[in-house]
Amino acid sequence: YVAGMRRLSGDRSFVTAACWIAARHAKVAPVYLYYFSYVASSIKGKVPGAAHAAELPFVFQMPIAALGVPQGLLRPPLAGDL
């Protein structure tokens, strides 16, 4: 129940707002929306889904390190990191 409510809350807060803004902007210029859901197999099942901004290395075809983002911010700490 709690997980479902979190997903619903996230959709209401972010997805609905993004669609609303895109619909209005589409009246004056082309608009593109995408849904990014890739989660690395090493953390699949340990996290609820793709992290915020996880698509950046794929969109810009850059390794994560080139974006200047510390690795720990893109995945939860693992036992070996502690």
Side-chain angles (χ1 to χ4, degrees):
Y1 174 79
V2 173
M5 291 305 292
R6 283 188 185 139
R7 281 193 305 273
L8 178 62
S9 175
D11 286 350
R12 184 172 180 218
S13 298
F14 299 103
V15 177
T16 304
C19 290
W20 184 85
I21 291 168
R24 268 105 195 122
H25 191 70
K27 294 176 183 177
V28 297
V31 173
Y32 303 93
L33 291 173
Y34 63 93
Y35 181 81
F36 186 84
S37 60
Y38 173 76
V39 176
S41 59
S42 62
I43 59 172
K44 194 171 280 190
K46 299 175 186 174
V47 297
H52 177 69
E55 78 280 8
L56 292 179
F58 298 90
V59 172
F60 296 107
Q61 299 177 357
M62 299 173 67
I64 293 170
L67 295 173
V69 178
Q71 284 283 57
L73 294 180
L74 298 179
R75 65 172 175 75
L78 304 175
D81 297 335
L82 303 175

